[in-house]
Amino acid sequence: MKSLLLIFSCVAILLTLPGGALAEAKNPFNLAPGARGKLCLSCHEGFKKTMNKKFIHTPLAEGDCTGCHNPHAADHGKLLAEDATQICFSCHDGLVPVNARSSHQIVSEGKCVSCHDPHASDNKMNLLQSENQLCFSCHKELAQKIAQNKVPHSPVSDDCLTCHSPHASADNPSLLQAKAPELCLQCHDASKKTFKIQHVNYPVEQADCTSCHNPHGSNTQAMLYDNVHEPLSQRMCKQCHEEPTSATPFATLKNSFELCQGCHYDMMNDTFNKDRIHWPVVDQVGCLNCHTPHASSEAKLMKAPLKQVCNTCHSDTVARQERSLTKHQPIEDGECSTCHAPHSSNNPFILNEGSVINICGQCHDWQTHSTHPIGAEVTDPRNPNLTLDCLSCHRTHGTEYQHFIYNETVNDLCVQCHTKYRR
């Protein structure tokens, strides 16, 4: 009823508009009859070739160039009626749902022309290239991995949009059309006997398939991630989980590090014999704070590249390095364990060595770097409780100054101790 009232109201408003106003709404630039697409093309001859393409943007096909362009003057490039990042949304305003769980960055930035030709294309949806070629033109690293996979996932080869939405996803991460396992079960029949045998009768159709399988393909049988936890590769799920017939089949037999300790006894014993333990090892989550229990694309079953894993807790440190004028190579390369022991250590900040000078000396030949005295016998003039080492002048995770020193210039740094040279 409300819809009918709304329609009647709109019709009534249109009928009450003066004839001139209605005409202006349809023809905002008061163009003469025939002064539309064909007239534009009389000067823009290059577009005649464009008009021969398979797919033509509707406004252009209808000769309505003024749908996007102002024929007289504009504040935006190419006489666009609005900013290039906004004009597409004047018609396509529903592409990104409100509070979308994930959205394609280029869509959020209004860079629609990164994928679409605004006039015409030989590809459907006016895409610049066919779907996968277009996706891989940006996602080159992923494309390279996919091309090298020995065990491919056919939808990846066919069309990325089988699983992903190109613009945004209202409820799912990574632009997925649906979450796992719902998305996977659209193709994979979990009721088949072979499916159940392969999964040792565990009800995996209720679990996240991507905890074991790489949806983009891999080099491992059954498309498992390239690094597989041995109990999984041996199908010894019951070594960690309750029986598949249990009411809680995915529950683990023990919690936190106590479960891992059963196999990794020597490593855990060594960890707990150190003075300082990395707290994630001993909280309620334990080893799974950093490692995945089934399979991973990363060595040592890391949940992600090491820098990314460390960043989940030490984001301030990683952000500092991003801002730093001079980059510290181990952090840039994601090799935090070059200096820090990830599980435990007898040294402050769980460093691999007790002496900062020795750690830095693994990469830097400090004896030729400077003649400045450093070491356990050299007292810091600024604080008699400290001795001078590399950290007296450098902040290893970076500063806003070159060579990650604490001051803007070397002189400013030196006079912190050599006060008689201060001006």
Side-chain angles (χ1 to χ4, degrees), residues 63-137:
D64 186 14
C65 303
T66 56
C68 300
H69 301 279
N70 186 315
H72 303 130
D75 292 328
H76 313 288
K78 300 180 181 180
L79 291 178
L80 287 172
E82 290 189 48
D83 187 87
T85 62
Q86 297 298 319
I87 193 162
C88 300
F89 296 113
S90 61
C91 291
H92 306 279
D93 58 349
L95 289 178
V96 179
V98 177
N99 299 324
R101 174 72 185 281
S102 59
S103 58
H104 205 173
Q105 183 177 347
I106 54 174
V107 178
S108 302
E109 294 173 349
K111 297 178 179 176
C112 306
V113 293
S114 297
C115 298
H116 300 278
D117 188 307
H119 298 120
S121 169
D122 287 328
N123 303 301
K124 62 181 181 180
M125 304 294 180
N126 279 10
L127 293 174
L128 299 177
Q129 301 178 62
S130 62
E131 290 94 340
N132 281 10
Q133 286 180 328
L134 183 61
C135 301
F136 293 155
S137 66

Side-chain angles (χ1 to χ4, degrees), residues 175-416:
L175 299 174
L176 289 171
Q177 304 271 11
K179 291 179 183 175
E182 289 84 358
L183 181 62
C184 308
L185 294 176
Q186 291 176 11
C187 295
H188 300 276
D189 186 354
S191 65
K192 286 185 176 180
K193 186 177 179 180
T194 51
F195 184 94
K196 295 185 179 300
I197 292 174
Q198 288 170 341
H199 294 96
V200 205
N201 291 318
Y202 275 87
V204 294
E205 66 274 16
Q206 302 170 20
D208 180 3
C209 312
T210 60
S211 71
C212 299
H213 301 283
N214 188 334
H216 294 126
S218 77
N219 294 305
T220 309
Q221 191 176 10
M223 228 170 59
L224 296 171
Y225 290 100
D226 289 345
N227 301 288
V228 186
H229 202 186
E230 187 174 349
L232 176 65
S233 64
Q234 300 298 320
R235 299 187 180 181
M236 298 162 58
C237 307
K238 289 188 285 187
Q239 188 164 319
C240 299
H241 295 282
E242 293 183 4
E243 295 283 342
T245 53
S246 162
T248 54
F250 298 121
T252 54
L253 301 177
K254 292 182 179 179
N255 295 321
S256 187
F257 68 86
E258 292 180 341
L259 179 67
C260 308
Q261 194 174 24
C263 292
H264 302 279
Y265 178 79
D266 290 340
M267 189 278 289
M268 295 303 300
N269 200 33
D270 183 59
T271 296
F272 286 114
N273 279 331
K274 301 284 175 58
D275 293 337
R276 293 174 171 83
I277 299 175
H278 198 191
W279 68 262
V281 176
V282 291
D283 74 358
Q284 293 296 314
V285 178
C287 309
L288 300 187
N289 277 303
C290 301
H291 300 278
T292 179
H294 299 135
S296 171
S297 296
E298 303 296 324
K300 300 180 180 179
L301 294 178
M302 296 300 297
K303 293 171 73 173
L306 186 58
K307 185 178 178 181
Q308 189 175 330
V309 172
C310 298
N311 184 58
T312 56
C313 294
H314 304 282
S315 58
D316 54 338
T317 301
V318 175
R320 170 173 287 282
Q321 173 67 188
E322 298 294 333
R323 296 194 304 270
S324 180
L325 202 58
T326 300
K327 307 301 183 187
H328 199 183
Q329 202 59 46
I331 305 175
E332 277 293 280
D333 294 342
E335 298 293 344
C336 306
S337 58
T338 300
C339 301
H340 300 279
H343 298 133
S344 65
S345 166
N346 288 325
N347 308 307
F349 303 111
I350 55 172
L351 290 170
N352 287 324
E353 294 236 15
S355 166
V356 169
I357 297 173
N358 287 345
I359 290 180
C360 299
Q362 293 175 6
C363 297
H364 304 279
D365 187 2
W366 63 269
Q367 288 180 314
T368 59
H369 163 64
S370 168
T371 58
H372 197 289
I374 57 174
E377 297 178 354
V378 184
T379 302
D380 189 331
R382 298 166 296 185
N383 186 340
N385 296 315
L386 300 175
T387 57
L388 286 178
D389 59 25
C390 309
L391 301 185
S392 301
C393 298
H394 302 282
R395 186 168 186 168
T396 52
H397 295 124
T399 70
E400 60 268 48
Y401 309 117
Q402 282 193 334
H403 309 302
F404 31 91
I405 62 175
Y406 294 102
N407 299 83
E408 186 173 5
T409 67
V410 173
N411 287 349
D412 290 340
L413 175 66
C414 296
V415 296
Q416 300 298 312

